[in-house]
Amino acid sequence: MENIIRKQLVIIGGGPAGLAAGIAAREAGVEDLVILEREHEAGGILRQCIHNGFGLHRYGEELTGPEYAARDIARAQELGLDIRCDTTVLSVDGDRRVTCVSRAEGLQIFEAGAVILAMGCRERPRGALGTPGTRCAGIYTAGAAQKFVNLEGLMPGRRCVILGSGDIGLIMARRMTLQGAKVLACVELMPYSSGLNRNIVQCLQDYDIPLYLSHTVIDIQGRERLEGVTVAQVDERRRPIPGTEIEFDCDTLLLSVGLIPENELSLRAGVALSPATAGAVVDDALQTSVPGVFACGNVLHVHDLVDFVSDESFRAGRAAAAFLRGEHPQGETVAVLDGEGVRGVVPQRVHPGQDLTLMFRPAGVYKNASVVVEADGVEIARKRALVFTPGEMVALDLPAAKWANVHGDLTVRMEAK
Amino acid sequence: MKERIITCINCPMGCRMTVTLEDGKVTGVTGNTCKRGEKYAMQEVTAPVRMVTAVVPVADRRLPVSVKTREPIPKARIQDCMAALRQLHLSAPIEAGQVVLADVCGTGIDVIATRTVS
Ligand SMILES: Cc1cc2nc3c(=O)[nH]c(=O)nc-3n(C[C@H](O)[C@H](O)[C@H](O)COP(=O)(O)OP(=O)(O)OC[C@H]3O[C@@H](n4cnc5c(N)ncnc54)[C@H](O)[C@@H]3O)c2cc1C
Ligand code: SF4
């Protein structure tokens, strides 16, 4: 027996994005809302990020992931938000019907006035890489290993190689070392690491773990369990260079090769996705192409800082509340386009003359450079910095006053000095 | 005279700085773009410190509790700190913020829980 329940607002995902969206919506007057979370606890990926470095922007102090999540959970409880854990959303449709399943309630269908997508992202699995070799045990994504070690107290292995030098891989190099494993190498395909300098110093150099740039794993040995990997240098076209092979005797390979927004549900709801972000195309109210369906956090675009996730999600919660009151921004929109050196600007469509925050990643490293926003070729905003890198998302505030009389599309581009 | 190369971690510039030392005293820092780099380099060569975070098993619980040093501790004491944490026997309930190991390895700094285990 399915039961159908009417709700003003249904939020899918109880990570930092879903929690912030729920808090903001309730503070904006939405009484009848529910947050659906498939895990046993709210908090999302932060539950397993036990290292510190969260919350510097929002709280001016460095919290660990669980501490950051606990603050939002405490606030949600204070407001009496209905958070249903152990509840997996199976589908959303274009009429905002959300179908979910839980052991306690069985199959349930919510008919929602508005829906906020906050499902986060997932890691690229091994299959997406085409790494050769046998399918033996001992190969995990770095995030899965983080979950074993930090949430379950289990060690995935004793001798470890890490492929990919993004922050999660670096953080796991240190974690594995501290918990007693030997990390033999961190191997990065590109000639630079996309991780923070702080993590390169404090997670690799502190423990004398070598970083092999412009290298990749070319072979994997072992039948039942991983026994070793072969690493080789690559040329400018990322092809392995014969004669540069290094053999590592290891029982574990961790993959840290990128994150992708978790948009299976969104696609089935008919939400249009952007090829640049792999997340939804949204307007300035973070509304997707399906009316009344909003998106925020890592499901919209992969963030590096949870502070920005919270900030964006507060806006989504307020926007959903406005939509429910019938106050959604109306009228013509203009496009926001990726100009030179800019990848994946969010939002992609905006109503002119509003306060706006634009976020994107630079396509390369720009030193002593500016971000420029133009409308019809006329500059309306500029932000300078000593350095912009693809590893750090740029957030640019565009106050309403700066573009009150603009009609054409906006273009965001990088300008080197 | 000794030289050490230090990468500044305070911003994405990642300036590579050369620190010159005489008898353990810093005599010069070059390669930094701003003052923050100089300050960091001095600290790094004379008294480097790090936050330590870890997980510790809890008796009769499937899941471990996450902990951190309340302040950064001397970098050279990280392994000692981890060894001390491996000796810990904790039991629930544990409140986030509660001291689980006072004055770890004589550093004067407490290790506290970062998660509540009820
Ligand atoms: C492994 C990892 C390490 C990170 N380390 C750092 C760091 O050191 N510093 C930093 O600032 N940021 C870090 N981040 C980024 C930061 O943690 C994220 O930006 C933030 O957690 C994103 O929040 P979110 O709510 O969008 O997603 P998540 O935290 O992933 O939450 C999404 C939630 O949605 C739930 N969900 C998904 N699908 C469904 C469904 N169908 N039904 C019900 N529930 C569903 C999930 O269970 C999850 O709880 C890290 C991210 C990852 C993945
Ligand atoms: S010295 Fe200044 S500019 Fe250079 S990395 Fe450090 S903080 Fe950044």
Side-chain angles (χ1 to χ4, degrees):
Chain A
M1 256 292 290
E2 44 186 49
N3 48 44
I4 297 186
I5 306 158
R6 292 266 326 139
K7 281 276 163 202
Q8 279 183 294
L9 174 62
V10 172
I11 298 171
I12 307 173
L19 289 167
I23 290 166
R26 171 61 55 85
E27 287 174 345
V30 180
E31 284 305 317
D32 188 28
L33 71 84
V34 65
I35 300 177
L36 306 175
E37 168 56 55
R38 79 179 156 204
E39 297 290 326
H40 191 58
E41 270 177 357
I45 207 80
L46 293 180
R47 294 165 57 238
Q48 69 188 58
C49 297
I50 64 158
H51 59 279
N52 67 311
F54 300 83
L56 208 52
H57 291 265
R58 190 166 160 205
Y59 297 114
E61 56 182 314
E62 288 198 28
L63 303 172
T64 64
E67 292 171 315
Y68 187 100
R71 293 195 179 187
D72 286 332
I73 294 169
R75 179 66 185 143
Q77 281 168 349
E78 232 170 71
L79 292 167
L81 297 192
D82 180 6
I83 305 176
R84 309 220 183 142
C85 294
D86 294 313
T87 304
T88 302
V89 174
L90 303 174
S91 74
V92 186
D93 69 22
D95 301 325
R96 302 188 294 266
R97 282 161 63 95
V98 178
T99 306
C100 63
V101 64
S102 69
R103 204 163 276 170
E105 305 283 343
L107 199 67
Q108 282 183 308
I109 296 175
F110 290 99
E111 284 184 347
V115 171
I116 299 180
L117 306 171
M119 290 91 75
C121 62
R122 64 190 150 85
E123 293 177 281
R124 285 217 168 88
R126 179 179 173 190
L129 291 175
T131 322
T134 53
R135 300 260 142 187
C136 50
I139 304 172
Y140 307 94
T141 63
Q146 189 180 45
K147 188 171 179 182
F148 288 148
V149 178
N150 292 347
L151 283 184
E152 291 167 27
L154 301 172
M155 282 296 279
R158 292 277 135 209
R159 291 174 65 79
C160 177
V161 169
I162 296 176
L163 177 59
S165 66
D167 287 313
I168 304 168
L170 299 177
I171 294 279
M172 279 314 291
R174 174 175 63 188
R175 176 59 45 215
M176 294 290 287
T177 308
L178 286 177
Q179 303 285 155
K182 174 80 188 157
V183 178
L184 303 165
C186 179
V187 178
E188 169 61 55
L189 182 65
M190 304 304 286
Y192 52 85
S193 162
S194 60
L196 297 174
N197 290 317
R198 167 172 150 148
N199 287 336
I200 294 186
V201 170
Q202 298 193 349
C203 298
L204 297 183
Q205 291 174 9
D206 275 5
Y207 302 95
D208 298 321
I209 300 167
L211 172 60
Y212 291 89
L213 297 173
S214 299
H215 278 70
T216 192
V217 170
I218 59 161
D219 194 24
I220 287 169
Q221 295 101 36
R223 275 181 175 280
E224 306 275 298
R225 173 84 200 190
L226 183 69
E227 287 167 8
V229 300
T230 309
V231 167
Q233 198 178 338
V234 295
D235 61 20
E236 308 82 64
R237 293 160 74 184
R238 299 186 209 160
R239 289 169 314 194
I241 304 174
T244 61
E245 296 84 358
I246 317 170
E247 306 289 339
F248 289 99
D249 165 16
C250 60
D251 59 16
T252 310
L253 175 66
L254 298 188
L255 306 175
S256 174
V257 290
L259 300 167
I260 353 174
E262 178 87 275
N263 272 305
E264 251 115 84
L265 292 176
S266 326
L267 275 173
R268 273 190 282 153
V271 167
L273 300 188
S274 145
T277 58
V281 172
V282 291
D283 67 10
D284 41 311
L286 300 170
Q287 182 174 233
T288 67
S289 60
V290 178
V293 176
F294 298 78
C296 56
N298 278 356
V299 76
L300 178 57
H301 51 158
V302 175
H303 290 254
D304 0 87
L305 287 180
V306 68
D307 309 62
F308 286 175
V309 168
S310 303
D311 194 52
E312 177 175 279
S313 307
F314 285 133
R315 287 190 282 126
R318 286 193 293 270
F323 175 85
L324 289 166
R325 290 192 306 266
E327 292 168 13
H328 197 71
Q330 302 287 328
E332 288 285 291
T333 58
V334 298
V336 188
L337 306 169
D338 293 353
E340 198 188 318
V342 164
R343 211 153 43 198
V345 180
V346 171
Q348 294 89 348
R349 294 211 65 86
V350 296
H351 295 84
Q354 317 237 356
D355 287 335
L356 194 65
T357 304
L358 297 173
M359 297 182 112
F360 67 90
R361 283 179 195 281
V365 176
Y366 289 83
K367 292 204 167 173
N368 265 322
S370 308
V371 187
V372 181
V373 185
E374 288 170 346
D376 281 340
V378 179
E379 178 176 324
I380 56 172
R382 176 180 287 265
K383 178 175 181 166
R384 287 186 189 80
L386 279 175
V387 66
F388 294 95
T389 76
E392 293 211 15
M393 178 133 31
V394 180
L396 182 95
D397 288 322
L398 191 59
K402 284 210 169 177
W403 63 310
N405 300 311
V406 164
H407 300 288
D409 293 343
L410 304 184
T411 304
V412 185
R413 63 177 177 84
M414 300 298 305
E415 190 177 278
K417 202 176 169 188
Chain B
M1 201 183 78
K2 267 193 6 195
E3 278 191 359
R4 273 192 57 193
I5 308 284
I6 301 276
T7 309
C8 182
I9 62 162
N10 287 304
C11 91
M13 281 290 276
C15 296
R16 279 170 65 85
M17 304 176 286
T18 306
V19 183
T20 44
L21 290 147
E22 228 147 326
D23 302 325
K25 286 224 162 65
V26 177
T27 52
V29 179
T30 56
N32 56 309
T33 305
C34 73
K35 273 269 173 226
R36 284 200 294 163
E38 187 178 317
K39 190 167 166 234
Y40 170 76
M42 304 266 251
Q43 170 99 52
E44 244 338 71
V45 295
T46 53
V49 292
R50 299 287 186 266
M51 288 288 292
V52 177
T53 64
V55 284
V56 177
V58 181
D60 303 323
R61 288 291 188 283
R62 201 172 64 83
L63 306 184
V65 63
S66 50
V67 302
K68 70 172 182 185
T69 52
R70 202 195 286 277
E71 307 277 331
I73 64 166
K75 185 181 150 191
R77 308 304 303 279
I78 296 175
Q79 295 298 351
D80 297 343
C81 174
M82 287 306 294
L85 289 175
R86 273 193 281 275
Q87 302 300 314
L88 263 189
H89 295 282
L90 296 178
S91 47
I94 300 167
E95 276 290 318
Q98 178 185 324
V99 175
V100 295
L101 181 58
D103 183 16
V104 61
C105 304
T107 55
I109 291 159
D110 297 338
V111 178
I112 62 175
T114 56
R115 204 170 79 85
T116 295
V117 182
S118 42

